[in-house]
Amino acid sequence: MQRISVAPAARRRFPSPSRSASPTPSPTQSPTPPNTNSNPGSTWRGLDPASPSGSPTSSTHESAQRLRSPAHPHWQPYPIMRVYRDNQLYLPLLVLTTCAIGSLFPISAPYLRPFLLPSYQLSPADAAAVPMSAISPGIRSDPPPHTSLYGKGSLDAAFVALGVVAWTFARAAVIGGILKPFARACKCPSKLLDRFGEQGWLVVYYSLSWATGMYFAYNSPFWMNTAAFWEQYPHEYLTGPFKAYYLMQLSFWIQQLFVIHIEKPRKDHHQMLTHHVVTIALVVSSYCTNFTRIGCAVLATMDVGDIFLSSAKCFNYVRWRKLCDATFAFFVGVWLYSRHYVYLHILWSVYHELPERLSMVYAPERGHYMCTTAYWFFLTLLSALQVLLVLWLYLIIRVIVKVARGSGAEDNRSDDEEDDDDDDVMNDGDNDDDDDHQRKKSSDGVATTGSESPTDRPARKYRSKK
């Protein structure tokens, strides 16, 4: 049974019989009728407690606003986001199936194939004429004959759009068909099933994304060589798999903008929203200005840490505490190395090596987009990303301090929705079975007879429905 937490002030409105100040009426004494003007249940419905009929007042609007508060248990997304949330499986599947079938017919194929496959493929003759220096991500050894090189253009937006639909379907299918059944088998509390599904999906995505990005980075000239980001710029053409990888990354982060508005907001909601917007701006701008080499490096650097963070959260939700702590400890090391060592090297390359190796000349006809404005644009966004990482590092350090004091690893960054319950992630859901028992005890710890006052019944009935 999912427990709906009630604020301390609300709980005091439902005293147990042992705490009631009014004596129990004798058999010959008629009981005092309840005071309808102080009905505590009316405060849950946005009604005026002082109104005998419980008529709606101006507090109805305030209660409706509280339902949208991130800390309120009845939080719901905005109406347009509820439509998206409730149609994540079958509607995307219908769109994907329609595009796939339609691409088989000669009449509709030219219109639908840009949604399914990367556009602007070069002919074999044109691909053979492209110099190695103009290819991204590039190949360290002698390449095979160029048979799959792609340019860029406006039709890439169609591939990105269907990618958003594909990620929506994949997320809903994996969470509902695999992760939630697995969480139930691991005895995950019912109130944490959604959280387990969300974080489990991120483990799946980041594992695939990081492995793919590392494959491209390892086999490229810029592996362990940041100067290769800028050498022989511009890198106008992309290999087919790399173009699909880059555009699908963009699709994922656009889809995350929808996801962040259908999940129950967390305390770092605005930081996460800022992170997603900055990431999308960097991916789009680097793709359009032929800086996909450094874009690949940044994406691979960022993806690896989230694998272990989301894994630790999943272990936390199923109460595998030792594995959670060990994974979190490994995550801290990966985070520090990838996001505050490797990433700073990349940021330093933008700040120091880029001005030395590239001329600040805006020449779009040659694919050369680097100029003073573009330089400061990229440097500002990449620095803003590092500022967010430092803020999150501060919260990670708080967790480390708590672990050193003997507490379990708890992520302060995002899983606590209520400000007055700052570090209750590990205990969330532990007391579901004991909640009713605790309500039957008096203030001195002695169990009562188990009877309820009339004002206690609405609260228990409300919780039991949830």
Side-chain angles (χ1 to χ4, degrees), residues 7 17 25 28 69 145 158 173 208 246 309 321 388 390 428 437:
T28 58
S69 172
L208 295 175
Y246 214 83
L309 174 61
R321 300 298 169 77
L388 288 174
V390 171
D428 196 10
H437 177 70

Side-chain angles (χ1 to χ4, degrees), residues 212-282:
T212 306
M214 282 297 296
Y215 170 80
F216 289 123
Y218 180 76
N219 292 284
S220 69
F222 58 82
W223 176 254
M224 307 296 289
N225 178 23
T226 56
F229 292 148
W230 326 112
E231 291 175 352
Q232 300 175 325
Y233 174 83
H235 313 116
E236 295 184 77
Y237 301 97
L238 299 85
T239 60
F242 181 72
K243 179 173 182 175
Y245 160 78
Y246 214 83
L247 294 181
M248 289 302 289
Q249 280 272 17
L250 176 57
S251 299
F252 173 81
W253 288 109
I254 294 176
Q255 189 250 354
Q256 283 296 103
L257 286 181
F258 293 94
V259 170
I260 199 174
H261 288 97
I262 63 172
E263 295 178 347
K264 189 174 182 181
R266 307 172 184 183
K267 291 199 300 183
D268 65 346
H269 174 84
H270 294 93
Q271 293 94 318
M272 289 299 296
L273 181 61
T274 303
H275 170 270
H276 295 350
V277 172
V278 170
T279 301
I280 292 172
L282 284 172

Side-chain angles (χ1 to χ4, degrees), residues 104-127:
L104 301 177
F105 297 95
I107 297 178
S108 57
Y111 302 98
L112 294 178
R113 282 179 183 170
F115 290 90
L116 297 170
L117 298 172
S119 303
Y120 305 106
Q121 182 176 5
L122 302 183
S123 65
D126 292 338

